[in-house]
């Protein structure tokens, strides 16, 4: 890894305010696992969750302006920045992460 991980991850002011207001100071960026019956499907684009992971040893831990970011070690870092932001859909605010390609 040639770039400093703390310089790759950016949190927008909107996302910071959203997390501070809800007192959610931990975010986890990982590949989600979806289970249907006995089958398991992995999504190839990382997602973000406002939570602390169950097992921290599988994550790179970064602290940015009072927010702890847990980045899964399974994720290939993109060449561009990783942006944590908030989008709104029908009045519901959703934490988002961008900067990854679907093949990452």
């Amino acid at each position: 890894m040639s770039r400093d991980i703390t310089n790759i991850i950016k949190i927008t002011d909107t996302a910071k305010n959203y997390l501070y207001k809800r007192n959610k100071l931990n975010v986890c960026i990982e590949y989600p696992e979806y289970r249907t019956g006995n089958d398991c499907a992995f999504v190839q684009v990382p997602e973000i969750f406002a939570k602390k992971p169950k097992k921290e040893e599988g994550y790179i831990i970064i602290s940015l302006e009072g927010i702890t970011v847990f980045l899964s070690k399974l994720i290939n870092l993109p060449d561009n920045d990783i942006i944590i932001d908030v989008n709104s859909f029908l009045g519901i605010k959703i934490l988002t992460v961008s900067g990854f390609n679907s093949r990452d």
Side-chain angles (χ1 to χ4, degrees):
M1 178 168 42
S2 59
R3 295 173 65 194
D4 180 11
I5 189 73
T6 57
N7 293 327
I8 295 173
I9 299 176
K10 310 286 185 208
I11 305 175
T12 65
D13 289 338
T14 306
K16 283 185 257 187
N17 292 335
Y18 174 83
L19 291 165
Y20 293 147
K21 184 177 178 182
R22 285 160 183 74
N23 199 30
K24 300 278 188 178
L25 303 180
N26 296 304
V27 294
C28 182
I29 302 172
E30 62 187 1
Y31 292 119
E33 180 181 314
Y34 294 100
R35 295 187 181 272
T36 56
N38 291 332
D39 296 327
C40 180
F42 290 97
V43 177
Q44 293 302 312
V45 178
E47 291 186 7
I48 188 166
F49 304 94
K51 67 174 188 173
K52 193 174 186 178
K54 292 178 184 175
K55 296 182 180 180
E56 294 180 22
E57 54 271 356
Y59 295 82
I60 300 166
I61 303 170
I62 306 112
S63 182
L64 298 170
E65 299 184 52
I67 297 169
T68 304
V69 178
F70 294 87
L71 180 65
S72 172
K73 291 180 181 177
L74 299 176
I75 294 175
N76 294 322
L77 294 177
D79 293 330
N80 50 308
D81 290 338
I82 298 169
I83 309 295
I84 298 171
D85 200 1
V86 172
N87 286 340
S88 183
F89 180 73
L90 298 175
I92 299 170
K93 292 185 179 182
I94 302 166
L95 201 58
T96 63
V97 64
S98 61
F100 294 100
N101 295 323
S102 60
R103 59 180 164 67
D104 290 339

